[in-house]
């Protein structure tokens, strides 16, 4: 269903966004989607700022599903150190791998990308900015654009598209997603950046497709970042 | 009203702003750094001041200064930083200064790690620093409750002229939940502080902010006055949440993150029609001893669940006072109790196969 969406992605897709915008869930689900289409997909964890709720915590689960995960190894995975795996460069340089990058939030997190700016410039990549319009400081287009600017400045890389990931956690309804889409569309008009897709939890996929069909692709999300009391 | 998806650490900051706090002094430490990150942006928007101090010792003494001048002020840290602040917290209590201190607890002792824990319960509820004093301790279990309790934290600090500590851990700090907030920050009318050092302004006497009482008789009188105040707090400020405790044969006792896990455990038992409930202390000091004592009249067993090797369980045993067996289950060092493990422990107690 989302095949069209994946066809439009470049060989390397970098997800950035504000703190708590849902980059990790979007990145994990995108990488799994690419893998299921038969691509040699690798998910790269570049989150150096938030030691909780990041990709490496579900690494084992993802690897059991067949996805390659690149993140700091062993005991370093629990450290709040700005440590990056040497394998990251390999993903960028190997033309056979489809890479999905999960970058830490805000400009502070985007700094880690600067390390790879030079080798990225010669390759086919896209940097998508994930937006949750229910989060503080990204509820209005002006705040979102300020954040895009600061992330571009910190990473030295230009954002090439937008992702609407507007949600209220467990209280997300279709209205939440549609309100978010209208905010993200305004950002698109103001910046000229395309809205690449809208991400919704799986049980809202059909409704979202019906309401937004034709205007945006829809990516259904399975939740990986869970609190200890969620099943 | 607007619904916003917030991290717990951000909610502490926004809750403080809504409560009229305009001063924050602190030093970064995981897992609470989103809070200073948030307030560094947020406080200037409302005419407030965010300052990163050179250390936790400096932070708490800046809090002392601002509180002495009558301001609503807060600081935050995690275990190691809170340990460094203990001298200052004792001075604040001794000088009867209101402030709010946040401890997002991490695995310990020593440097430990950055993973979630509840092992600073003793430090928070027994004073922590030197001398005969108490700090009122609040333990939220959701992001909305954090917002609500921040207002109460500042009000209680002013009411009793005493430090109030809000404790949580990295899970509460970093997870996101929807909260209800007014679109606008409403002006907060602060209580009059006739004791604050704001200039003499024609008064007969100088206002002194002090915890030095050289003459033992005077220092004892000060201690008696503080003890009277703590007695009032213990009597009037106990807070808790009952979750299916009515008719419960086994009552789980847990706070914060551990209480969220225990709610899931209670739901598992209730689905099977088995009488298990949860008492969730919201104030850790004063501990809700009244409610535990009342439940000891109806429940047959208690199981305390903590992210430590057993600290609050001592308060549960004091309140139960030997009338019922009190069992303990804990994980430590940054590990979180898993619902199915707690369920198994509780199941053993219900069927008579556990050692207390």
């Amino acid at each position: 269903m989302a095949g069209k969406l994946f066809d439009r992605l470049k060989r390397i897709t970098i997800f950035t966004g504000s703190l708590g915008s849902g980059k990790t869930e979007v990145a994990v689900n995108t990488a799994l989607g690419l893998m299921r289409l038969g691509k040699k997909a690798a998910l790269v964890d570049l989150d150096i700022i938030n030691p909780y709720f990041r990709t490496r915590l579900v690494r084992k689960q993802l690897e059991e599903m067949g996805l390659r995960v690149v993140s700091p190894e062993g005991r370093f995975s629990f450290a709040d150190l700005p440590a990056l795996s040497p394998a990251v460069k390999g993903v960028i340089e190997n033309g056979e791998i489809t890479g999905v990058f999960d970058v830490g939030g805000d400009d502070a997190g985007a700094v880690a990308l600067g390390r790879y700016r030079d080798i990225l410039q010669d390759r086919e990549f896209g940097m998508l900015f994930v937006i949750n319009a229910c989060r503080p400081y990204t509820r209005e287009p002006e705040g979102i654009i300020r954040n895009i600017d600061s992330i571009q400045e910190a990473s030295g890389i230009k954002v090439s598209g937008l992702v609407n990931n507007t949600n209220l956690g467990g209280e997300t309804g279709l209205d939440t997603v549609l309100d978010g889409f209208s905010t993200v569309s305004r950002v698109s008009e103001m910046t000229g950046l395309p809205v690449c897709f809208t991400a919704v939890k799986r049980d809202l996929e059909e409704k979202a497709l019906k309401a937004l069909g034709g205007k945006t692709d829809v990516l259904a999300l399975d939740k990986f970042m869970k609190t200890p009391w969620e099943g | 009203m607007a619904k916003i998806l917030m991290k717990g650490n951000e909610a502490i900051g926004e809750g403080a702003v809504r409560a009229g706090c305009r001063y924050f002094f602190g030093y970064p430490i995981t897992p609470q750094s989103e809070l200073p990150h948030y307030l560094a942006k947020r406080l200037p928007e409302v005419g407030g001041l965010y300052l990163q101090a050179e250390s936790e010792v400096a932070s708490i003494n800046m809090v002392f200064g601002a509180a002495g001048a009558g301001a609503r002020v807060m600081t935050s840290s995690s275990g190691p930083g809170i340990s460094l602040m203990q001298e200052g917290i004792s001075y604040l209590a001794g000088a009867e200064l209101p402030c709010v201190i946040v401890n997002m607890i991490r695995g310990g002792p020593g440097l430990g790690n950055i993973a979630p824990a509840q092992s600073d319960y003793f430090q928070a509820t027994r004073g922590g620093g030197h001398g005969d004093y108490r700090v009122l301790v609040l333990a939220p279990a959701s992001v909305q409750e954090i917002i609500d309790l921040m207002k109460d934290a500042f009000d209680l600090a002013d009411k009793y002229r005493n430090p109030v500590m809000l404790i949580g851990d990295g899970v509460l700090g970093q997870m996101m939940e929807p909260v209800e907030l007014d679109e606008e920050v409403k002006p907060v009318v602060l209580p009059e502080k006739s004791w604050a050092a704001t200039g003499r302004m024609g008064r007969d006497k100088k206002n002194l902010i002090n915890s030095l009482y050289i003459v033992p008789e005077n220092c004892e009188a000060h201690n008696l006055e503080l003890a009277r105040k703590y007695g009032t707090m213990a009597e009037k400020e106990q807070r808790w949440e009952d979750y299916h405790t009515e008719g419960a044969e086994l009552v789980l006792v847990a706070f914060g993150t551990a209480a969220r896990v225990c709610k899931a455990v209670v739901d598992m038992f209730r689905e099977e029609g088995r009488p298990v409930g949860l008492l969730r202390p919201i104030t850790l000091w004063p501990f809700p001893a009244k409610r535990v004592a009342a439940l000891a009249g109806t429940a047959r067993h208690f199981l305390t669940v903590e992210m430590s090797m057993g600290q609050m369980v001592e308060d549960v045993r004091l309140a139960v006072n030997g009338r019922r067996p009190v069992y303990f289950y804990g994980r430590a060092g940054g590990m979180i109790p898993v619902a199915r493990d707690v369920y198994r422990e509780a199941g053993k107690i219900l069927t008579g196969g556990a050692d207390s």
Side-chain angles (χ1 to χ4, degrees):
Chain A
M1 200 172 302
K4 203 163 43 119
L5 183 169
F6 294 119
D7 288 343
R8 281 210 295 273
L9 295 179
K10 305 273 203 248
R11 182 175 72 78
I12 293 166
T13 303
I14 301 168
F15 288 107
T16 60
S18 310
L19 191 69
S21 55
K23 297 170 297 297
T24 299
E25 297 286 12
V26 170
V28 169
N29 281 278
T30 301
L32 286 172
L34 289 163
M35 181 192 83
R36 287 180 185 130
L37 285 175
K39 308 230 184 205
K40 208 171 157 190
L43 175 63
V44 179
D45 177 2
L46 277 193
D47 192 339
I48 55 163
I49 62 159
N50 181 1
Y52 284 77
F53 301 110
R54 58 183 170 182
T55 305
R56 62 194 72 167
L57 300 177
V58 291
R59 178 175 179 160
K60 195 163 160 248
Q61 184 188 354
L62 295 172
E63 284 174 344
E64 279 166 9
M65 295 168 82
L67 184 66
R68 183 173 164 218
V69 179
V70 176
S71 65
E73 305 284 334
R75 64 199 177 101
F76 292 114
S77 66
F78 297 103
D80 53 348
L81 292 169
L84 299 168
S85 165
V88 175
K89 214 171 151 220
V91 174
I92 299 172
E93 287 174 338
N94 185 341
E96 289 178 11
I97 299 177
T98 304
V100 176
F101 284 58
D102 175 19
V103 183
D106 287 355
D107 45 352
V111 166
L113 261 184
R115 161 84 179 72
Y116 305 105
R117 184 182 55 194
D118 290 344
I119 56 166
L120 274 168
Q121 295 304 347
D122 308 328
R123 271 118 186 143
E124 197 204 342
F125 78 95
M127 182 156 94
L128 305 185
F129 187 84
V130 179
I131 299 163
N132 180 350
C134 288
R135 290 274 298 144
Y137 290 103
T138 54
R139 297 174 66 215
E140 302 294 335
E142 293 72 20
I144 295 168
I145 292 168
R146 265 197 301 277
N147 237 291
I148 292 175
D149 290 343
S150 68
I151 282 173
Q152 290 185 149
E153 196 175 321
S155 64
I157 299 172
K158 292 274 179 214
V159 169
S160 57
L162 308 173
V163 173
N164 171 30
N165 184 41
T166 303
N167 73 88
L168 277 172
E171 293 182 25
T172 310
L174 183 63
D175 288 353
T176 320
V177 178
L178 298 183
D179 288 349
F181 183 73
S182 106
T183 304
V184 174
S185 298
R186 269 157 58 215
V187 175
S188 173
E189 282 161 27
M190 291 162 77
T191 58
L193 294 168
V195 184
C196 292
F197 61 88
T198 288
V200 296
K201 53 182 182 175
R202 190 165 290 283
D203 58 12
L204 275 178
E205 184 186 14
E206 261 180 52
K207 280 187 193 166
L209 271 172
K210 214 168 170 188
L212 289 167
K215 290 189 218 159
T216 172
D217 282 330
V218 173
L219 176 71
L221 298 179
D222 294 313
K223 194 173 178 186
F224 285 86
M225 300 292 124
K226 290 179 181 172
T227 54
W229 49 90
E230 284 174 306
Chain B
M1 294 290 264
K3 275 249 162 146
I4 304 178
L5 190 69
M6 290 193 109
K7 285 178 181 271
N9 283 332
E10 296 165 342
I12 296 171
E14 190 58 37
V17 166
R18 304 285 170 137
C21 170
R22 293 293 177 269
Y23 301 91
F24 177 92
F25 307 102
Y27 189 81
I29 183 171
T30 307
Q32 58 81 56
S33 293
E34 293 79 10
L35 168 55
H37 182 82
Y38 185 83
L39 284 177
K41 260 193 286 198
R42 189 70 176 105
L43 277 172
E45 293 175 351
V46 290
L49 174 84
Y50 164 88
L51 186 74
Q52 182 174 321
E54 70 270 31
S55 72
E56 288 86 349
V57 176
S59 308
I60 196 70
N61 284 293
M62 290 173 181
V63 168
F64 188 100
R72 282 202 159 172
V73 55
M74 75 183 279
T75 184
S76 72
S77 192
S78 186
I82 298 289
S83 292
L84 281 168
M85 290 181 186
Q86 289 303 331
E87 182 197 45
I89 297 172
S90 172
Y91 277 53
L92 282 152
E96 295 192 81
L97 292 179
C99 67
V100 174
I101 300 157
V102 175
N103 181 6
M104 300 309 268
I105 305 172
R106 49 192 259 169
L111 198 47
N113 60 30
I114 57 172
Q118 298 183 325
S119 44
D120 299 353
Y121 180 93
F122 282 154
Q123 186 193 49
T125 59
R126 266 58 180 171
H130 60 282
D132 222 346
Y133 75 94
R134 294 288 192 174
V135 166
L136 198 146
V137 184
L138 299 168
S142 72
V143 181
Q144 181 69 54
E145 192 177 30
I146 286 173
I147 293 265
D148 301 339
L149 283 185
M150 283 309 290
K151 172 84 169 61
D152 295 349
F154 282 99
D155 288 346
L156 288 164
D158 280 342
K159 181 176 174 188
Y160 291 104
R161 287 185 58 188
N162 205 68
V164 170
M165 187 175 279
L166 184 119
I167 71 170
D169 60 56
V171 171
L172 280 174
Q174 314 235 2
M175 71 179 189
M176 294 192 286
E177 286 182 333
V179 295
E180 293 240 22
L181 276 177
D182 288 328
E183 282 291 352
E184 300 292 327
V185 176
K186 290 181 184 151
V188 177
V189 181
L190 300 183
E192 200 191 332
K193 296 179 180 176
S194 57
W195 47 266
T198 52
R200 192 154 169 182
M201 293 186 292
R203 282 190 304 267
D204 300 344
K205 277 193 201 158
K206 286 186 274 192
N207 280 352
L208 280 178
I209 306 299
N210 174 47
S211 66
L212 175 67
Y213 294 86
I214 292 178
V215 180
E217 285 81 355
N218 293 348
C219 198
E220 186 187 44
H222 178 52
N223 270 277
L224 287 169
E225 185 54 29
L226 289 177
R228 189 199 53 75
K229 180 171 85 174
Y230 300 140
T232 309
M233 288 158 79
E235 176 57 32
K236 293 194 169 161
E237 304 300 341
Q238 294 181 25
R239 294 192 195 186
W240 64 86
E241 179 197 357
D242 277 294
Y243 188 71
H244 294 301
T245 51
E246 208 181 299
E249 204 172 292
L250 169 65
V251 172
L252 308 180
V253 187
F255 68 92
T257 295
R260 294 291 289 264
V261 175
C262 286
K263 276 193 178 176
V265 174
V266 169
D267 291 344
M268 288 157 80
F269 279 109
R270 289 287 167 175
E271 263 173 40
E272 297 168 3
R274 298 165 82 184
V276 176
L278 167 71
L279 176 76
R280 178 174 72 87
I282 297 170
T283 52
L284 301 185
W285 196 88
F287 183 76
K290 278 189 232 175
R291 184 61 190 146
V292 173
L295 286 168
T298 54
R300 292 181 54 197
H301 337 259
F302 290 83
L303 171 62
T304 306
V305 179
E306 296 178 67
M307 283 143 64
S308 75
M309 287 288 84
Q311 301 194 6
M312 182 178 71
V313 65
E314 295 191 0
D315 284 331
V316 178
R317 289 195 171 119
L318 278 170
V320 170
N321 205 13
R323 294 156 70 197
R324 306 285 176 194
V326 177
Y327 302 85
F328 173 74
Y329 180 80
R331 296 296 302 270
M335 297 302 291
I336 300 169
V338 176
R340 64 175 180 277
D341 293 340
V342 179
Y343 172 84
R344 196 169 48 236
E345 284 299 308
K348 275 195 265 176
I349 295 166
L350 277 176
T351 52
D355 305 318
S356 68

